[in-house]
Amino acid sequence: MPDLFDPIRLGAIAAPNRILMAPLTRGRATRDAVPTPIMADYYAQRASAGLIISEATGISRQGLGWPYAPGLWNDAQVAGWKPVTAAVHAAGGRIVAQLWHMGRQVHSSVIGAQPVSASATRTDGHVHTYEGRQPYEQARALDIDELPGILDDYARATENALKAGFDGVQIHAANGYLIDQFLRDGANLRTDAYGGSVENRIRLLSEVTERVAGVAGADRTGVRLSPNGATQGVDDSDPHAVFLPAATRLSELGIAFLELREPGPDGTFGRTDVPRLSPAIRTVFDGPLVVNSDYTTRDAAQAVIDADTADAVSFGRTFLANPDLPERLRTGAPLNESNMATWYSQGPEGYVDYPALADQEAA
């Protein structure tokens, strides 16, 4: 069986190890969703990851409601991303842009309009805004004639990602965001060609992936799914029935890799007793399979590779405080603890000031 530190090919991307950096929202862009110079330092520090998957990045103002998150729908955002990708490449790394439409998980005070979703539904609880946490709002159902425009937004964001120097893109189809809202019957109440049957509910995922792959190439296109358990109020009555066909379709399209966020009963971002679907998805998806959620040790990550459940593991919050995480895992060095208060704050504290192992040893 491969070792966690063996190289792997993810489509057109040659990764030197199987430790991927999962997408991590950090809120260091401007209100206009333009990346800032400090983001180049942050990502370059983590260039030893086999592949960096960028923080979720909006494809449009309609789809981006997280305060100070970056976008990829205009020239200013492309210009802001160029120093980031250049810094990662100069440090020997590889980076893909995660493309994000949040659907109903936004607030009108941020996007300037009513949220949209597969159906006229709302999420329980509160959403982050520039004015603090506010109750989620009722979403309106996207008209079927609006969906070609959504596909155009994904295609434009993909073009912009390549212009900005990214090595590829990942479609965010997980975590209760727009595509996930179409996939799962708890949020998709439609009766047209995008609702009802499993075939209809995976249609948007399929069409988005086809459009993105048509721009970037399938070998530079990844997808993220969260197949087990409720996420941000989005759930399905039979996950096995919808996510195996979805993975089968993605395999047919020949994407570079599929990442699965699969929390367990003790997950830090969502907990569920719904069994992980990765073993079943492994049987229908022919490309590289990446698993994610609460992996913090070398042994845990190596175990899923040894079991042939996955080809690689994406580490999320462990990368926040450990810019040199692969080296720490390789040597068994202790891990820095992250400061939750600075996860989404502005400025360098808790962002680019976590020490690398070499710095700690020198001190």
Side-chain angles (χ1 to χ4, degrees):
M1 283 296 166
D3 186 83
L4 193 60
F5 296 90
D6 286 341
I8 184 173
R9 179 160 288 278
L10 303 170
I13 299 171
N17 60 63
R18 296 164 187 251
I19 302 167
L20 276 58
M21 179 174 164
L24 294 159
T25 295
R26 301 307 311 272
R28 260 68 176 191
T30 70
R31 283 202 180 206
D32 293 322
V34 176
T36 53
I38 197 173
M39 293 169 60
D41 297 334
Y42 168 76
Y43 281 108
Q45 288 175 350
R46 290 153 179 80
S48 63
L51 174 67
I52 295 172
I53 305 171
S54 84
E55 62 203 278
T57 301
I59 63 169
S60 65
R61 181 77 274 174
Q62 178 194 68
L64 182 62
W66 191 277
Y68 298 109
L72 267 172
W73 68 83
N74 64 38
D75 291 342
Q77 294 159 355
V78 172
W81 274 117
K82 284 182 176 179
V84 178
T85 61
V88 171
H89 292 150
R94 296 135 298 277
I95 183 170
V96 298
Q98 190 188 62
L99 305 182
W100 199 22
H101 192 303
M102 298 175 70
R104 72 184 192 183
Q105 316 290 6
V106 302
H107 195 272
S108 61
S109 68
V110 179
I111 68 169
Q114 183 181 6
V116 300
S117 185
S119 302
T121 58
R122 71 182 296 164
T123 304
D124 293 334
H126 295 75
V127 60
H128 290 284
T129 75
Y130 289 111
E131 287 74 42
R133 292 177 64 80
Q134 299 190 55
Y136 280 102
E137 299 171 309
Q138 178 82 7
R140 68 172 179 84
L142 282 161
D143 291 335
I144 198 166
D145 60 5
E146 293 180 276
L147 296 180
I150 300 289
L151 299 180
D152 290 343
D153 289 341
Y154 274 102
R156 179 185 61 202
T158 304
E159 292 172 356
N160 285 341
L162 299 179
K163 290 178 184 176
F166 284 99
D167 298 297
V169 297
Q170 184 194 59
I171 299 164
H172 196 343
N175 297 17
Y177 296 119
L178 182 69
I179 296 176
D180 206 20
Q181 291 161 29
F182 273 80
L183 284 171
R184 304 209 240 184
D185 60 16
N188 186 340
L189 312 178
R190 301 175 76 98
T191 57
D192 60 14
Y194 291 85
S197 69
V198 168
E199 179 184 9
N200 285 351
R201 283 185 280 131
I202 69 174
R203 191 180 307 278
L204 183 63
L205 170 65
S206 177
E207 290 178 346
V208 168
T209 306
E210 288 183 75
R211 283 295 298 276
V212 168
V215 175
D219 60 353
R220 294 189 182 274
T221 300
V223 173
R224 176 181 247 222
L225 299 174
S226 50
N228 71 314
T231 309
Q232 299 194 98
V234 177
D235 203 357
D236 194 85
S237 61
D238 189 353
H240 193 279
V242 65
F243 284 102
L244 263 67
T248 299
R249 178 59 183 146
L250 294 173
S251 186
E252 292 169 351
L253 292 172
I255 64 171
F257 66 96
L258 174 60
E259 182 195 19
L260 304 177
R261 181 191 165 271
E262 296 185 300
D266 300 316
T268 58
F269 179 57
R271 297 175 175 85
T272 181
D273 292 323
V274 177
R276 292 181 171 92
L277 268 69
S278 46
I281 288 174
R282 183 69 154 169
T283 68
V284 300
F285 182 75
D286 294 331
L289 190 65
V290 182
V291 293
N292 165 263
S293 196
D294 299 303
Y295 290 96
T296 59
T297 68
R298 175 177 180 168
D299 288 349
Q302 186 64 51
V304 295
I305 294 175
D306 289 346
D308 197 29
T309 300
D311 300 291
V313 175
S314 64
F315 289 76
R317 293 176 179 177
T318 319
F319 256 116
L320 295 179
N322 298 279
D324 55 349
L325 180 62
E327 180 64 10
R328 289 176 183 268
L329 295 180
R330 187 184 68 81
T331 62
L335 300 178
N336 300 321
E337 292 291 331
S338 68
N339 178 8
M340 186 181 298
T342 61
W343 282 0
Y344 309 119
S345 61
Q346 298 285 283
E349 184 182 358
Y351 190 57
V352 294
D353 58 353
Y354 288 110
L357 185 60
D359 296 330
Q360 290 175 316
E361 291 174 344

